[in-house]
Amino acid sequence: ALQLDAANLQPRWRYRLPLSVAWLLHTPRVSDGFLIFVGSEQPFVGTIFVVDLKLSEIYEQDPPPTVNGRRQPRRRRLPRGMFVESLVSNP
């Protein structure tokens, strides 16, 4: 996914998510400045990926536990160097 500059539509950032198919969720009250994707194919079914467009970060949260599962889903920030690329000389 590319993030474009609002003034001139030039590409600013490239985000590389480990997904080929996902649902993009959009709610203006909740997603201001964020893109929220839910994985829809193995091994990421139900996994949530959040792209923070202001800080240029990507976060991942495991899917909810099964009916009998008790542990909370793990949340982590993905390594910027592997998943985020600046496309301008001075970001």
Side-chain angles (χ1 to χ4, degrees):
L2 290 176
Q3 179 180 353
L4 305 178
D5 186 293
N8 58 21
L9 297 180
Q10 294 296 314
R12 293 187 47 86
W13 296 95
R14 177 178 291 137
Y15 301 96
R16 291 189 174 95
L17 297 174
L19 301 169
S20 59
V21 178
W23 291 94
L24 172 63
L25 305 179
H26 177 71
T27 304
R29 287 182 46 208
V30 176
S31 60
D32 185 33
F34 296 91
L35 296 176
I36 303 169
F37 296 93
V38 178
S40 61
E41 63 182 6
Q42 293 295 339
F44 296 109
V45 173
T47 301
I48 298 170
F49 292 89
V50 177
V51 178
D52 182 335
L53 297 173
K54 295 177 182 175
L55 298 177
S56 301
E57 297 281 357
I58 300 176
Y59 303 90
E60 178 184 6
Q61 179 174 311
D62 291 339
T66 59
V67 176
N68 296 329
R70 297 210 187 277
R71 71 172 180 86
Q72 293 285 23
R74 290 184 322 175
R75 297 176 184 164
R76 60 201 154 278
R77 183 175 54 195
L78 298 180
R80 187 180 228 180
M82 291 179 63
F83 296 97
V84 181
E85 175 187 359
S86 174
L87 301 176
V88 293
S89 55
N90 293 323

